Amino acid sequence: MSKKVLVGLSGGIDSAVAAYLLKKEGYSVIGATMTLRSENSPYPAPASPDSCYSSDKGKDFRKIERISSILGIRHYFVDCSDIFEGKILSSFREEYMNARTPNPCIWCNPIVKFGAFLSRAKELLKFDYFATGHYARIKFMDGRHALLKGLDGKKDQSYFLSRLSQTQLGQILFPLGELEKSEVRRIDESLSLHEENEEESQDFFGGDYTLLLDRKEMVGDIVLPDGKKVGSHKGYWNYTIGQRKGLGVAYSEPLYVISIDPVMNRITVGPRSLTMRKALISGNVVYSSFADFSEDEIYEVKVRSVSKGTKAKMKHLDNGRILIEFLEEVNAITPGQSAVCYLGDMVVLSSVIEDVL
């Protein structure tokens, strides 16, 4: 009897092609979609429908119905709105108000998409594996499930998947991990699953994140490192480390946000050179391809999803925290973001930035 695979269908090209490829390989495929917004949500609806949290998913649902029909697979919806709103959005709000900048997608994956969604689907359906259209790879090496970058460097999503546990990685399939996006599009068009050259856009909120914070304006000072006031703002939560645009400050040189004080409601700005740092301390560490790291090895560390990664050495600290020392300066390291460590294509660990040195 063929193995059963549940595929998380979003309505997009990647998940549709993932379902097709698995069916082509001989798996028995079923589809499921998680819904994230409750009927009486306490959070505002995003301005853009191209959002995970949009209140208007009718277009996506119609795409999913069409894909399921063409591929000849059953499809189900699984409500995960309580977990998404109660953990992901509430944590996002709390972190921002503490002047930290979280990455909700990194947390949604282990907690919701590969957590609650999978658990609740198992209450309804029987299946052996769970698959998605992510561009990443999983290999079993030396007794561990190693998470690797997708072969398409421009689409690699290992950074966002870096907090998945060994248990979660052990039941996941990533059919697109070995493919280029261009090949995935070619397959999709050959099956007429979507319109030719259809644009894709899926964002966490699809608009101004500060709408989720539900805060009234609170005027504060914008100051230089020496304390000299150079402007004012309407709430520290509207700013992130390294930000340049939207400061509303006229000065002799470009200014960037270098620190945020939530207690004093104060933004400190300075030249770009002051946003450059060479070390950080991170905690809440999840080990991936290896059970630990070597203090003698040189790794590559990404401090945000869009960064290329910078060579660094790491040291163990107390309480499971780690010191990451870069071999060259890194711009705008931000508390609350994730520092993800790689050895070649393999994810070594994922951690949350606590302090910048």
Side-chain angles (χ1 to χ4, degrees), residues 106 147 158-164 286 288 340 347 349-350:
I106 278 189
L147 176 64
S158 60
Y159 180 90
F160 298 105
L161 300 165
S162 60
R163 294 195 69 83
L164 295 181
V286 172
S288 185
V340 179
V347 174
L349 60 84
S350 184

Side-chain angles (χ1 to χ4, degrees), residues 30-327:
I30 49 179
T33 302
M34 60 180 183
T35 56
L36 299 178
R37 186 177 178 84
S38 62
E39 186 175 340
N40 299 308
S41 171
Y43 296 93
S48 169
D50 297 321
S51 161
C52 299
Y53 194 58
S54 173
S55 58
D56 181 14
K57 303 295 285 183
K59 183 178 179 181
D60 287 339
F61 293 164
R62 288 190 293 273
K63 288 182 181 179
I64 292 168
E65 290 175 356
R66 171 183 165 80
I67 292 163
S68 300
S69 176
I70 292 174
L71 296 181
I73 61 176
R74 292 176 295 146
H75 177 267
Y76 302 85
F77 287 99
V78 179
D79 183 14
C80 296
S81 58
D82 58 330
I83 302 294
F84 187 76
E85 293 174 348
K87 290 195 174 182
I88 305 304
L89 293 188
S90 63
S91 175
F92 178 87
R93 177 182 285 178
E94 181 180 351
E95 287 285 273
Y96 247 93
M97 297 316 298
N98 285 322
R100 291 161 60 88
T101 306
N103 189 315
C105 297
I106 278 189
W107 292 99
C108 180
N109 278 324
I111 295 173
V112 184
K113 184 173 291 183
F114 296 90
F117 177 44
L118 200 52
S119 297
R120 293 178 182 185
K122 285 181 177 179
E123 295 174 1
L124 302 172
L125 308 162
K126 290 185 178 180
F127 52 91
D128 300 293
Y129 299 104
F130 177 55
T132 67
H134 285 94
Y135 289 81
R137 294 173 291 159
I138 300 172
K139 292 185 179 180
F140 191 70
M141 303 167 55
D142 299 325
R144 292 182 68 84
H145 300 284
L147 176 64
L148 286 77
K149 295 178 181 179
L151 286 188
D152 188 333
K154 293 181 180 179
K155 294 295 295 181
D156 168 52
Q157 293 168 299
S158 60
Y159 180 90
F160 298 105
L161 300 165
S162 60
R163 294 195 69 83
L164 295 181
S165 69
Q166 284 293 296
T167 299
Q168 290 171 322
L169 290 172
Q171 55 188 332
I172 296 170
L173 300 175
F174 291 138
L176 308 188
E178 304 280 348
L179 300 179
E180 298 282 338
K181 177 69 177 189
S182 58
E183 175 66 6
V184 173
R185 278 194 174 275
R186 188 195 65 76
I187 294 171
D188 184 84
E189 291 174 2
S190 71
L191 298 170
S192 299
L193 296 174
H194 295 82
E195 295 181 8
E196 189 173 345
N197 298 319
E198 180 170 320
E199 292 296 324
E200 292 183 291
S201 176
Q202 189 82 342
D203 188 29
F204 154 64
F205 188 64
D208 185 354
Y209 287 178
T210 60
L211 293 175
L212 290 171
L213 305 180
D214 191 27
R215 294 282 302 200
K216 294 181 180 179
E217 291 183 0
M218 188 167 68
V219 177
D221 293 337
I222 299 177
V223 302
L224 296 175
D226 62 6
K228 178 184 177 182
K229 180 178 177 180
V230 291
S232 61
H233 62 82
K234 297 179 180 179
Y236 67 85
W237 52 87
N238 294 303
Y239 301 86
T240 58
I241 301 297
Q243 180 176 333
R244 177 186 174 186
K245 295 182 179 180
L247 297 181
V249 175
Y251 201 66
S252 58
E253 62 180 315
L255 296 175
Y256 299 78
V257 175
I258 57 176
S259 68
I260 301 170
D261 186 337
V263 176
M264 300 299 294
N265 187 30
R266 183 168 54 206
I267 304 297
T268 300
V269 296
R272 188 176 186 275
S273 60
L274 294 183
T275 70
M276 306 299 291
R277 301 295 183 89
K278 290 197 70 172
L280 64 86
I281 292 175
S282 61
N284 205 336
V285 181
V286 172
Y287 288 92
S288 185
S289 302
F290 305 95
D292 202 351
F293 65 86
S294 168
E295 294 190 352
D296 297 324
E297 184 71 66
I298 295 179
Y299 298 97
E300 185 176 76
V301 177
K302 297 178 67 170
V303 297
R304 60 184 62 84
S305 62
V306 296
S307 73
K308 294 186 298 183
T310 305
K311 293 186 182 301
K313 299 195 74 170
M314 301 190 293
K315 295 180 180 179
H316 297 88
L317 299 178
D318 60 340
N319 299 320
R321 299 183 305 159
I322 57 178
L323 169 66
I324 300 177
E325 298 178 300
F326 297 97
L327 303 191

